[in-house]
Amino acid sequence: MRTTTLGTQGPEVGVIGLGCMGMSYAYDMDTARDAETSVSVIRGAIELGATLIDTADVYGPYTNEELVGRALQDGYRERAVLSTKVGLEVSTAAPAAGTMPGLVKNGSPEHIRASIDASLRRLGTDHVDLYILHRVDPDVPLEDSWAAMAQTVRDGKARAIGISEADVAQIELAQSVHPVTAVQSELSLWTRDRLSDVVPYCEERGLAFLPFSPLGRGFLTGRFTSFDQLPADDMRRRLPRFQQENLKANLAIVQRVREVAERVGATPAQVALAWVVAQGRRVIPIPGTKTPKYLRENVAAGDLMLSGEDLALLDGAPLPEGGRY
């Protein structure tokens, strides 16, 4: 796979990484998980060049880090660029704005200090390559949260730090305390909000931009054409874009992806991922999958070069109906 760097000074990584959340959390929850297959997918990603492996303490909760740690044994840790996150907690309270149901924000320095140690224990490593603040906590000054994140670097527990779902002002504030290596936010053909501000900011300053859900939570693959196709205990059933009327309207986006896929001889998933990669030199999408088949499909998208005409057709796809959360 083609490679880039995690920021201007960061390690070399494949232009597509691997998001591990779905192996333990949120999607297809009524389907039995196969830990052995997940381990093979993580190791397969590294062998194929998708070396950026992304998890978070809240996924599971906590069990996804353990799974990733298991996969990175036997010499795989040295070959991976490992990213995990802090700043969300599972709660029965109402979800925080901009988060999935059942999660609340906690960016307190005390929480961050305790969480990095717990994450390292679960991951079975003495450091992570990238430690990301999962969400900015409105009840904690960002300077305080970011100072605690920076301390993990000084302590040797993280090589670099990043921030998720932040706007430009928040990134600049964080930068004034300690360098930001990466920004993680949702980006796909049905979530293009950050193309007007955060992505150009990162491009100009050499920050990595890590899109999560680059396949629109699986929608852009064409897998779902009806709300009823969603598994019974799947978090997508609670998201506005997957409600039946919105979903029907959003199929127009999938149709545009299919048109380009037919033109270039690729799958819709590969076209959707290649469009994301084309948005910047250090844009590194982290699609998730639980199967070797889709891993190979996703990784192959890293070498798919879309023409200007192809990209223009995709750029002209309709905007989505319904909010993200």
Side-chain angles (χ1 to χ4, degrees), residues 111-133:
H111 178 68
I112 292 169
R113 285 193 292 267
S115 295
I116 184 62
D117 291 333
S119 286
L120 293 179
R121 285 195 300 271
R122 288 187 290 269
L123 290 163
T125 186
D126 63 356
H127 75 280
V128 293
D129 299 292
L130 181 64
Y131 199 39
I132 296 177
L133 184 63

Side-chain angles (χ1 to χ4, degrees), residues 8-298:
T8 54
Q9 305 298 321
E12 185 178 63
V13 294
V15 295
I16 291 177
L18 176 66
C20 298
M21 180 185 76
M23 297 174 180
S24 309
Y25 184 66
Y27 301 143
D28 304 326
M29 293 303 290
D30 59 345
T31 303
R33 273 8 191 213
D34 184 341
E36 293 302 324
T37 300
S38 293
V39 166
S40 71
V41 167
I42 295 169
R43 292 181 173 183
I46 295 168
E47 291 166 357
L48 291 170
T51 51
L52 178 60
I53 306 299
D54 182 83
T55 182
D57 57 0
V58 76
Y59 298 160
Y62 313 120
T63 56
N64 195 247
E65 285 184 325
E66 293 173 347
L67 176 67
V68 171
R70 177 181 165 191
L72 295 183
Q73 295 173 5
D74 303 323
Y76 283 89
R77 174 66 187 95
E78 291 73 21
R79 300 166 62 184
V81 176
L82 177 59
S83 170
T84 194
K85 298 183 281 294
V86 63
L88 290 177
E89 292 183 300
V90 176
S91 172
T92 57
T99 66
M100 291 189 295
L103 300 178
V104 295
K105 300 173 184 177
N106 186 348
S108 70
E110 298 78 14
H111 178 68
I112 292 169
R113 285 193 292 267
S115 295
I116 184 62
D117 291 333
S119 286
L120 293 179
R121 285 195 300 271
R122 288 187 290 269
L123 290 163
T125 186
D126 63 356
H127 75 280
V128 293
D129 299 292
L130 181 64
Y131 199 39
I132 296 177
L133 184 63
H134 212 152
R135 294 291 189 276
V136 175
D137 186 344
D139 297 325
V140 178
L142 178 55
E143 305 96 303
D144 295 349
S145 298
W146 203 247
M149 297 290 290
Q151 188 63 48
T152 68
V153 177
R154 288 191 289 272
D155 291 342
K157 299 175 182 180
R159 293 287 187 262
I161 52 177
I163 192 168
S164 180
E165 293 280 76
D167 59 30
V168 169
Q170 291 168 329
I171 299 167
E172 289 181 329
L173 178 56
Q175 286 271 51
S176 71
V177 176
H178 184 93
V180 176
T181 292
V183 177
Q184 188 173 118
S185 283
E186 187 169 353
L187 173 64
S188 72
L189 277 164
W190 82 345
T191 303
R192 295 173 246 177
D193 315 62
R194 292 309 185 190
L195 288 176
S196 64
D197 51 10
V198 174
V199 173
Y201 179 91
C202 292
E203 185 76 5
E204 291 167 6
R205 290 158 180 80
L207 279 62
F209 185 85
L210 312 180
F212 67 83
S213 299
L215 295 174
R217 304 190 185 279
F219 185 75
L220 297 175
T221 68
R223 176 184 173 191
F224 302 109
T225 59
S226 167
F227 177 85
D228 294 332
Q229 292 175 307
L230 293 166
D233 193 20
D234 191 299
M235 58 86 66
R236 286 170 288 198
R237 282 180 166 262
R238 302 191 293 273
L239 300 181
R241 289 182 186 173
F242 284 93
Q243 303 311 303
Q244 187 60 32
E245 290 307 310
N246 289 338
L247 187 152
K248 287 171 59 179
N250 290 332
L251 287 173
I253 306 173
V254 177
Q255 181 57 36
R256 183 64 58 89
V257 175
R258 282 184 173 142
E259 290 171 7
V260 174
E262 290 175 2
R263 283 166 52 97
V264 302
T267 68
Q270 289 170 336
V271 166
L273 286 173
W275 178 87
V276 174
V277 172
Q279 302 310 306
R281 290 172 297 169
R282 294 186 180 85
V283 174
I284 310 165
I286 48 171
T289 181
K290 301 188 289 292
T291 68
K293 173 187 175 182
Y294 292 131
L295 170 67
R296 292 190 294 270
E297 181 179 342
N298 292 346

